[in-house]
Amino acid sequence: NDCGDAGEPSSDSLVSDFEISRILRDCAREKIIFIHGKVKDQDAVVILEKTPIRQDTLSELLKSSQLKLQIKNDVYSTYQLHAPAHLNEIKTTVVCPATEKHVKKYLHQEVFLVEESGEDYRNLTLPYISSQSFSVQWVHNILEKKAEADRIVFEDPDPDTGFVLLPDFKWDQKQVQDLYLIAIVHRRDVKSLRDLTSEHLPLLTNIRSKGEDAIQRQYSVPPSKLRVYLHYQPSYYHLHVHFTSVEYDAPGCRVERAHLLSDVIQNLQADSSYYHNRSLAFPMRADDGLLLKFKEAGKV
Amino acid sequence: NDCGDAGEPSSDSLVSDFEISRILRDCAREKIIFIHGKVKDQDAVVILEKTPIRQDTLSELLKSSQLKLQIKNDVYSTYQLHAPAHLNEIKTTVVCPATEKHVKKYLHQEVFLVEESGEDYRNLTLPYISSQSFSVQWVHNILEKKAEADRIVFEDPDPDTGFVLLPDFKWDQKQVQDLYLIAIVHRRDVKSLRDLTSEHLPLLTNIRSKGEDAIQRQYSVPPSKLRVYLHYQPSYYHLHVHFTSVEYDAPGCRVERAHLLSDVIQNLQADSSYYHNRSLAFPMRADDGLLLKFKEAGKV
């Protein structure tokens, strides 16, 4: 397995051996690019993302960089700044070997809003999810400390109400402006929002209070600065809760995909079967197999 | 004028002489930072922005960079990439001398998430809104055709369930990618989401169906491509509904401010007093007078 060796020299070559086939998506505003290619005959996706500008190294950055004047007009001047590499990192993510699913995930696609009734969930979505048997092995690795154990910020080991809190992959933890953590529950029997009933209220309130406490302790970010929510559809079917800075325009925090934990808790308190019966709207990409199911059923 | 010389040596020193006073704004997602400071006793603002990743130099970037492995889990690996400076520029803008107006323009206001119970609404928010007597004269002008009559896309004149549909100011109508329309109700007795009961269901379902129809007719955008929602808090207290393209990252469509019309309708169908009694979370800027009321009451 050419991708399997985690040692530094070969990790270098994993990227330097990467042959570009095509650009999957280019987010100029966020300075992210998704590239499809090959590493020694294996499909791979490489994601490059420029990192946020670090406040703690700003003085050093300004003092130690080279500047080239571009435009000068009245009180405004623009420059190209050439920074020392260690002050201007590019976050690189490699998925290798990448499946067709990975490639599709990153490819830019048209988006539709689907309204899924409780019945649609049981007749269309649940059979589809089950048939796909999405792997959550990487989640189990985290819960069992087989991977990323050193990244865990907080853990409540209770099998029913417990969870593991750790930084999301997308967050480099260098600044709290884009704070992003995930709470992953220890229970393995809750796929998503749709499975939640009032039975899960102790779990949800525990995640909220202990998650907020841990973040306040670790990062000095108070609860009033946090957006705490679930995704529907989630990107993996093992219950997890997102904690992001309310000032950060986090991907996936728009109203059509995110559900505030405080709303979820109140809705379940009022009606245990709220998420069983309600129509839930969510966005779907044109290439999503589930969208095809909804189209075949005449629901879109 | 120490900032006036556009020659290269002094342009370098314009930035290297810059003494940082404070960060005005930090946009982690866009990798932009706004800094206030001094250049030899003159006020200055420096804006640093990482540049989009260039497709034309990608191969060179991957081949000529240093990589350091960060995390490895299953098929996923992340690295820090140290790129040659000329392939990883930072766009630098200097405003010097900067006026107070420049500084205010770039200054970020801290944002807090407030949870407002039904009681908080009646005790704090409603008295505050009333005391401010925010003018909605411009809304009445539209409803009475005294202004913007030529911009109306659709109207249902019914005094109870009717509304006027017109493009939002932010939309130039040049392309449907950022489609943004507003439906303003003819009724003048509904300030916001908080006033809605099951009595208003005919109004809400009418807005949804006739609004969607009108947008399909006029712009060929089907209902499955639309995000239809209300804001809480709204920016003006006369009930209105937002229609935006689901692919457009419209301002104000994040979960903490937007409420999907389809959810609002279902919630009122289940419980006429849903929006009377629920705690609703919403974001508030530090300079908002209402936030002060919540702080005084010990709610934030």
Side-chain angles (χ1 to χ4, degrees), chain A residues 94 136 205 231:
Chain A
V94 180
V136 287
T205 53
H231 277 161

Side-chain angles (χ1 to χ4, degrees), chain B residues 51-62:
Chain B
T51 49
I53 294 165
R54 288 175 55 183
Q55 298 196 11
D56 59 339
T57 56
L58 261 184
S59 305
E60 196 188 341
L61 178 70
L62 291 176

Side-chain angles (χ1 to χ4, degrees), chain B:
Chain B
N1 182 338
D2 288 319
C3 300
D5 188 345
E8 291 223 8
S10 94
S11 71
D12 250 276
S13 78
L14 182 64
V15 175
S16 56
D17 288 350
F18 179 73
E19 293 294 330
I20 299 171
S21 326
R22 59 171 174 162
I23 306 301
L24 295 170
R25 191 161 21 138
D26 186 346
C27 308
R29 183 165 174 197
E30 291 93 356
K31 289 82 183 183
I32 312 177
I33 198 163
F34 299 77
I35 317 158
H36 186 196
K38 298 242 181 224
V39 176
K40 296 182 184 155
D41 295 330
Q42 281 194 303
D43 266 297
V45 172
V46 170
I47 305 162
L48 301 178
E49 176 172 5
K50 301 223 175 168
T51 49
I53 294 165
R54 288 175 55 183
Q55 298 196 11
D56 59 339
T57 56
L58 261 184
S59 305
E60 196 188 341
L61 178 70
L62 291 176
K63 301 250 179 285
S64 59
S65 295
Q66 301 277 313
L67 282 134
K68 203 174 131 191
L69 182 67
Q70 299 269 285
I71 307 165
K72 173 139 189 76
N73 179 356
D74 196 41
V75 299
Y76 305 98
S77 336
T78 66
Y79 304 85
Q80 282 180 341
L81 183 150
H82 285 184
H86 71 284
L87 297 177
N88 189 22
E89 290 173 338
I90 298 178
K91 183 174 180 234
T92 305
T93 305
V94 180
V95 184
C96 183
T99 63
E100 209 181 318
K101 245 192 150 72
H102 286 119
V103 173
K104 268 201 174 160
K105 177 180 167 185
Y106 298 120
L107 182 63
H108 168 78
Q109 285 286 327
E110 210 178 348
V111 175
F112 295 89
L113 205 69
V114 174
E115 283 216 28
E116 177 201 72
S117 66
E119 213 178 317
D120 292 337
Y121 173 71
R122 289 178 283 279
N123 293 339
L124 299 169
T125 307
L126 186 55
Y128 178 77
I129 295 169
S130 311
S131 75
Q132 294 294 300
S133 56
F134 293 114
S135 171
V136 287
Q137 187 54 52
W138 65 274
V139 175
H140 295 169
N141 290 343
I142 291 172
L143 295 174
E144 293 163 12
K145 318 285 156 40
K146 291 179 182 163
E148 302 185 52
D150 55 326
R151 300 181 74 238
I152 293 175
V153 169
F154 173 79
E155 177 172 15
D156 175 342
D158 188 285
D160 287 322
T161 61
F163 64 97
V164 153
L165 181 74
L166 73 176
D168 187 272
F169 273 123
K170 289 184 281 298
W171 185 37
D172 66 7
Q173 302 179 66
K174 299 259 165 71
Q175 60 290 311
V176 297
Q177 277 69 28
D178 60 342
L179 177 141
Y180 199 147
L181 293 104
I182 300 281
I184 303 177
V185 305
H186 276 303
R187 292 179 67 144
R188 299 183 181 191
D189 60 345
V190 189
K191 283 185 287 305
S192 76
L193 194 60
R194 278 283 185 205
D195 285 339
L196 293 174
T197 66
S198 57
E199 185 221 328
H200 304 98
L201 284 168
L203 168 66
L204 299 174
T205 53
N206 191 50
I207 291 174
R208 182 167 60 175
S209 64
K210 290 193 186 149
E212 287 178 350
D213 285 354
I215 289 171
Q216 171 120 46
R217 264 198 320 275
Q218 184 80 15
Y219 304 104
S220 304
V221 173
S224 62
K225 305 288 294 180
L226 291 178
R227 181 194 295 117
V228 188
Y229 55 101
L230 291 82
H231 277 161
Y232 192 74
Q233 301 287 334
S235 52
Y236 50 97
Y237 291 89
H238 176 115
L239 194 75
H240 57 283
V241 175
H242 304 254
F243 290 75
T244 59
S245 164
V246 75
E247 287 176 18
Y248 172 48
D249 187 10
C253 77
R254 300 189 207 169
V255 64
E256 66 270 26
R257 185 154 186 223
H259 297 257
L260 285 182
L261 182 57
S262 58
D263 286 338
V264 173
I265 289 172
Q266 287 184 88
N267 288 334
L268 291 173
Q269 283 168 340
D271 175 6
S272 176
S273 59
Y274 188 99
Y275 292 103
H276 249 66
N277 299 330
R278 283 311 164 93
S279 283
L280 298 174
F282 54 83
M284 272 181 130
R285 289 165 49 113
D287 60 351
D288 194 310
L290 183 55
L291 183 66
L292 191 65
K293 298 286 170 202
F294 272 77
K295 281 191 167 162
E296 284 169 1
K299 305 278 180 180
V300 182

Side-chain angles (χ1 to χ4, degrees), chain A residues 31 49 111 113 247 267 274, chain B residues 31 49 224-225 267 274:
Chain A
K31 289 81 182 182
E49 175 172 7
V111 175
L113 204 67
E247 289 175 13
N267 288 334
Y274 189 99
Chain B
K31 289 82 183 183
E49 176 172 5
S224 62
K225 305 288 294 180
N267 288 334
Y274 188 99

